[in-house]
């Protein structure tokens, strides 16, 4: 999977590049998979500093975009990320919008077939996500992440 990073999200992009260069993503797993929604990877429950949200008016969770995952609290992203496999312009019951919550910092420019294959694996209850059916039954490992020139 090749991702082109956005220059207009400098904090988020720099954080992702820095963690990649440190090898943080090597041999991690895609731990949350929701067909028709997204695939999520990165490190969970890591003691890393949080980064501020960089939303802006051009922040759209479109198919193939990569976004920083976080808790329900603002400015709580660290290292976990997800790739959208649908047009995720969701409005929650409380009126908040997905596009106003999760910073989009890049887009898949090659390998979307791989992302879609991951999105369609069999899943079961996910203890990390309160039991939702999103834990891949087959381990999907991100073997090596590299920053290209």
């Amino acid at each position: 999977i090749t991702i082109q990073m956005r220059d207009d999200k400098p904090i988020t992009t720099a954080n992702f590049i820095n963690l990649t260069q440190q090898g943080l993503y090597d041999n991690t797993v895609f731990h949350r998979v929701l067909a028709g929604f997204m695939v999520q990877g990165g490190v969970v429950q890591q003691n890393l500093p949080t980064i501020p949200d960089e939303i802006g008016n051009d922040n759209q969770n479109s198919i193939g975009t990569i976004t920083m995952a976080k808790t329900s609290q603002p400015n709580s992203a660290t290292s976990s990320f997800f790739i959208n496999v649908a047009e995720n312009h969701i409005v929650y019951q409380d009126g908040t919008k997905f596009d106003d919550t999760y910073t989009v910092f890049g887009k898949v420019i090659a390998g979307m077939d791989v992302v879609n294959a991951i999105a369609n694996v069999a899943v079961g209850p996910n203890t990390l996500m309160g039991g939702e059916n999103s834990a891949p039954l087959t381990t999907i490992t991100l073997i090596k992440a590299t920053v290209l020139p």
Side-chain angles (χ1 to χ4, degrees):
I1 303 168
T2 304
I3 298 165
Q4 182 174 9
M5 306 285 192
R6 292 176 60 163
D7 294 332
D8 64 336
K9 308 291 181 174
I11 296 167
T12 309
T13 298
N15 180 66
F16 191 81
I17 290 171
N18 181 44
L19 295 175
T20 298
Q21 290 173 332
Q22 290 177 25
L24 185 79
Y25 296 115
D26 297 350
N27 297 306
T28 59
V29 298
F30 282 91
H31 56 272
R32 186 178 186 211
V33 172
L34 294 162
F37 183 42
M38 60 83 164
V39 300
Q40 186 171 340
V43 179
V44 179
Q45 300 175 354
Q46 182 80 12
N47 189 19
L48 294 170
T50 59
I51 58 171
D53 298 332
E54 294 181 285
I55 304 300
N57 59 3
D58 60 347
N59 194 71
Q60 296 183 6
N61 284 271
S62 301
I63 295 171
T65 56
I66 185 170
T67 303
M68 288 307 291
K70 62 182 193 172
T71 70
S72 60
Q73 298 302 309
N75 306 310
S76 61
T78 58
S79 66
S80 191
F81 63 89
F82 61 89
I83 301 172
N84 291 290
V85 297
E87 294 293 327
N88 289 326
H89 311 293
I90 301 163
V91 178
Y92 295 107
Q93 288 180 346
D94 67 0
T96 60
K97 297 177 185 172
F98 207 70
D99 289 342
D100 293 343
T101 305
Y102 298 96
T103 301
V104 175
F105 66 99
K107 183 166 180 68
V108 174
I109 58 170
M112 197 61 197
D113 56 331
V114 174
V115 175
N116 286 324
I118 294 169
N120 288 297
V121 300
V123 295
N126 192 331
T127 57
L128 295 172
M129 303 306 298
E132 76 176 12
N133 280 329
S134 64
L137 298 180
T138 302
T139 303
I140 304 165
T141 304
L142 193 163
I143 298 167
K144 176 82 175 149
T146 306
V147 177
L148 302 175

